[in-house]
Amino acid sequence: MSFFSSSANFVRYAVSGDMPERFWDMAAERIRALAFRDIDDTYDEKSVGWVSIHNMFDSDFAFSSYAAGDYIALALRIDERKVAPAVLKKCCMKEEERIKKEKQVPRLSKSHRQEIKENMQLMLQKKATPVPAVYDLVWNLADSTLLFFSTSIKAQELLETLFKETFGLTLTLQIPFLTALHLLDPGQQAALDRIAPEVFI
């Protein structure tokens, strides 16, 4: 999901932890260290890292392209090789039939079938083209909030891990109540204690 789309889904995070001195120097070093690495020409199963919010192929961040005033704008890119279960099943059955005819046996042992499955998974995975997914984020340094443009739990977990590894700071997902606490002034926050759940039918 893109920050630049006309409509978007996103989740809000609070960023907690002490900002290091010379933050921008540290950020430049760590973002480049954990930038996305292409796996098209390898047999790696997965790659996760930072890319430019403007271009999924830009992981060099020339002129600190992620910096915009008091904001950091990045994209989380995840490339993963996937083998469709139906394709794996078909290839395994085909290989099992070939071996049964070759050895002239009515069936194969469970361990032999498991070995075939593992070998076939590896072979198909090597042939598969990595499937990319890109998720934008915008971090407001002034008020320690971050918007992440995905509602995928898997993507959120990867973001939280990579963000901690990159900046040494922790992300806390903001449910509506916590968001309201953050946005309202102290005089208005007391009203939240009187809120009760309702069922709308």
Side-chain angles (χ1 to χ4, degrees), residues 51-95:
V51 294
S52 167
I53 198 172
H54 302 286
N55 181 353
M56 67 181 281
F57 301 107
D58 177 10
S59 56
D60 295 327
F61 307 104
F63 309 108
S64 300
S65 58
Y66 50 80
D70 285 338
Y71 292 83
I72 284 182
L74 283 168
L76 172 66
R77 179 171 169 184
I78 306 162
D79 276 25
E80 190 171 6
R81 283 188 163 86
K82 298 178 181 178
V83 178
V87 173
L88 176 60
K89 182 178 179 180
K90 170 195 161 186
C91 291
C92 288
M93 291 173 67
K94 188 174 182 180
E95 180 66 4

Side-chain angles (χ1 to χ4, degrees), residues 157-199:
E157 289 173 349
L158 288 171
L159 167 71
E160 292 164 15
T161 300
L162 185 62
F163 191 88
K164 176 75 172 179
E165 189 177 350
T166 305
F167 301 107
L169 302 171
T170 302
L171 293 178
T172 304
L173 190 62
Q174 297 292 281
I175 61 174
F177 181 84
L178 294 177
T179 301
L181 278 177
H182 177 80
L183 296 175
L184 296 175
D185 61 50
Q188 296 172 313
Q189 289 175 0
L192 294 175
D193 295 332
R194 299 191 296 272
I195 294 177
E198 287 286 349
V199 177

Side-chain angles (χ1 to χ4, degrees), residues 131-145:
V131 179
V134 182
Y135 307 101
D136 294 348
L137 68 88
V138 178
W139 177 13
N140 185 334
L141 299 173
D143 71 358
S144 300
T145 59

Side-chain angles (χ1 to χ4, degrees), residues 16-177:
S16 57
D18 295 327
M19 295 282 278
E21 294 182 11
R22 300 180 61 84
F23 170 78
W24 287 109
D25 292 337
M26 180 278 293
E29 178 185 338
R30 297 301 298 155
I31 289 171
R32 286 190 176 90
L34 293 167
F36 177 81
R37 302 289 180 256
D38 202 340
I39 58 172
D40 283 354
D41 298 325
T42 74
Y43 292 136
D44 293 346
E45 182 180 354
K46 191 175 189 178
S47 181
V48 179
W50 303 118
V51 294
S52 167
I53 198 172
H54 302 286
N55 181 353
M56 67 181 281
F57 301 107
D58 177 10
S59 56
D60 295 327
F61 307 104
F63 309 108
S64 300
S65 58
Y66 50 80
D70 285 338
Y71 292 83
I72 284 182
L74 283 168
L76 172 66
R77 179 171 169 184
I78 306 162
D79 276 25
E80 190 171 6
R81 283 188 163 86
K82 298 178 181 178
V83 178
V87 173
L88 176 60
K89 182 178 179 180
K90 170 195 161 186
C91 291
C92 288
M93 291 173 67
K94 188 174 182 180
E95 180 66 4
E96 287 172 17
E97 289 300 315
R98 184 191 70 77
I99 293 173
K100 284 192 290 186
K101 286 181 182 178
E102 183 181 280
K103 295 188 173 184
Q104 296 185 348
V105 293
R107 59 178 302 174
L108 303 177
S109 67
K110 184 177 180 181
S111 61
H112 196 171
R113 283 186 282 117
Q114 182 62 30
E115 182 183 349
I116 290 170
K117 183 177 180 180
E118 290 171 359
N119 291 338
M120 198 59 62
Q121 172 85 30
L122 184 60
M123 185 192 75
L124 292 172
Q125 194 169 291
K126 287 180 177 180
K127 291 181 178 180
T129 300
V131 179
V134 182
Y135 307 101
D136 294 348
L137 68 88
V138 178
W139 177 13
N140 185 334
L141 299 173
D143 71 358
S144 300
T145 59
L146 182 146
L147 301 182
F148 183 56
F149 291 82
S150 173
T151 55
S152 162
I153 300 299
K154 181 180 178 181
Q156 290 170 23
E157 289 173 349
L158 288 171
L159 167 71
E160 292 164 15
T161 300
L162 185 62
F163 191 88
K164 176 75 172 179
E165 189 177 350
T166 305
F167 301 107
L169 302 171
T170 302
L171 293 178
T172 304
L173 190 62
Q174 297 292 281
I175 61 174
F177 181 84

